[in-house]
Amino acid sequence: MVRRHEGTAFMGGAHVFPGGRVDPADHDGSDMWCDGVSFATNQLQTLDPVEAIAYHVAAARELFEESGVLIARDSRGETMSLTDAATQARFTRYRSEIHDGRDTLRGVIEREGLRLALDALALFAHWVTPPIDTRQFDTRFFLATVPPGQTPVHDQTETTHSTWLTPSAAIDQAIRGCIVLPPPTWTTLRELERFRSAESAHAWARTRQIIRRQPKLVETDGRRMLLLPGDERYPEATDPERPAETCFVFADKRWRPEPRRT
């Protein structure tokens, strides 16, 4: 997980997964430099193929920019390794150049003789923010396994800290007030909590029914609440995999889950 910079307008200071927006250059994904183009379009069949591929390219790019993990294969079809000092230094420079717009992910991939591995990204969830202001985010969550020979580290620009946590440990730290978790991140951690390995989580993600989750913001008796599909107070939206917590209450500058009603 990475901690967003305090000055970030949306969820500043929160612990989240690496990610960001789809940029115009992300729509350049093709068989010329990417593996798994058909896989990507099949995962997001409700989207135009170009847009479906762009979501996958953006996920891989943001993962590289924010954590230094590159989901790519070399000419032998093996996952990219960043173990030696010279390679680490070169790809650290690439991260900065891509983030600043001085280079593109495609440029790096082609220069290094690599292939971006879109088929290494397993679609996990679809979240849409409630229409509470002029910004609205339509977000896909993906699962990926960190390639051997790569060590994630935050970028010290958009993110200020990074750490490996089990889902249970992250939720425990949030309950104790040590970290802040946005409701979609909390819910994702709850869903991952049941798995003992990355392989089992990937297997489940490949078979789950992905639904569009859009929380509903309500204010009742001075309480600001975020209701998830599946909550009885949000009957117009349903969820076949009702989350463990379906209501979050905003207090002390953070969202905390309301105990489930019985």
Side-chain angles (χ1 to χ4, degrees):
M1 306 194 77
V2 293
R3 185 175 185 270
R4 292 176 64 82
H5 193 285
E6 288 283 356
T8 304
F10 185 74
M11 293 296 178
H15 274 70
V16 297
F17 304 110
R21 70 181 183 183
V22 178
D23 288 341
D26 298 326
H27 292 81
D28 195 26
S30 72
D31 289 319
M32 294 179 65
W33 60 288
C34 300
D35 286 342
V37 167
S38 295
F39 175 88
T41 57
N42 287 335
Q43 279 208 123
L44 293 175
Q45 294 183 19
T46 59
L47 297 180
D48 174 85
V50 172
E51 194 68 23
I53 296 166
Y55 265 100
H56 289 72
V57 174
R61 176 184 54 76
E62 288 283 357
L63 180 63
F64 180 54
E65 286 185 29
E66 292 198 352
S67 71
V69 173
L70 183 61
I71 307 295
R73 302 186 180 102
D74 61 22
S75 58
R76 296 169 297 178
E78 298 179 358
T79 54
M80 179 64 185
S81 176
L82 302 175
T83 52
D84 68 273
T87 302
Q88 286 182 9
R90 191 167 70 255
F91 277 81
T92 297
R93 186 180 74 250
Y94 289 154
R95 286 177 66 186
S96 176
E97 291 172 349
I98 293 172
H99 180 270
D100 295 342
R102 291 175 286 140
D103 205 344
T104 64
L105 181 59
R106 178 174 184 172
V108 170
I109 292 293
E110 292 184 331
R111 190 179 311 123
E112 292 287 335
L114 304 173
R115 303 276 297 176
L116 194 65
L118 305 185
D119 50 351
L121 299 167
L123 183 64
F124 185 85
H126 181 191
W127 288 86
V128 180
T129 55
I132 55 177
D133 57 26
T134 56
R135 297 165 301 171
Q136 190 167 30
F137 299 97
D138 191 329
T139 307
R140 266 72 176 189
F141 283 36
F142 296 90
L143 288 180
T145 301
V146 177
Q150 296 194 34
T151 302
V153 63
H154 54 280
D155 63 6
Q156 301 186 40
T157 303
E158 294 184 10
T159 56
T160 58
H161 299 82
S162 58
T163 183
W164 279 108
L165 292 167
T166 65
S168 296
I171 291 171
D172 179 65
Q173 288 196 26
I175 290 173
R176 292 188 288 112
C178 301
I179 65 174
V180 174
L181 295 176
T185 307
W186 184 298
T187 302
T188 300
L189 289 165
R190 279 290 191 215
E191 291 173 328
L192 290 171
E193 198 173 25
R194 76 190 79 169
F195 303 109
R196 302 274 72 85
S197 69
E199 291 76 16
S200 58
H202 272 272
W204 178 73
R206 285 192 292 268
T207 60
R208 80 176 303 196
Q209 178 185 355
I210 304 295
I211 69 156
R212 181 179 182 272
R213 284 174 170 164
Q214 183 173 28
K216 178 181 181 181
L217 185 67
V218 299
E219 303 224 11
T220 304
D221 299 327
R223 292 202 313 162
R224 195 180 192 200
M225 299 185 299
L226 202 64
L227 305 179
L228 271 55
D231 192 279
E232 60 270 20
R233 292 160 290 184
Y234 189 11
E236 59 268 37
T238 59
D239 189 336
E241 297 174 358
R242 186 172 185 251
E245 293 96 354
T246 59
C247 175
F248 290 80
V249 179
F250 192 73
D252 299 325
K253 299 182 179 181
R254 64 182 64 199
W255 292 100
R256 293 183 180 275
E258 177 187 74
R260 174 173 281 189
R261 292 177 161 191
T262 57

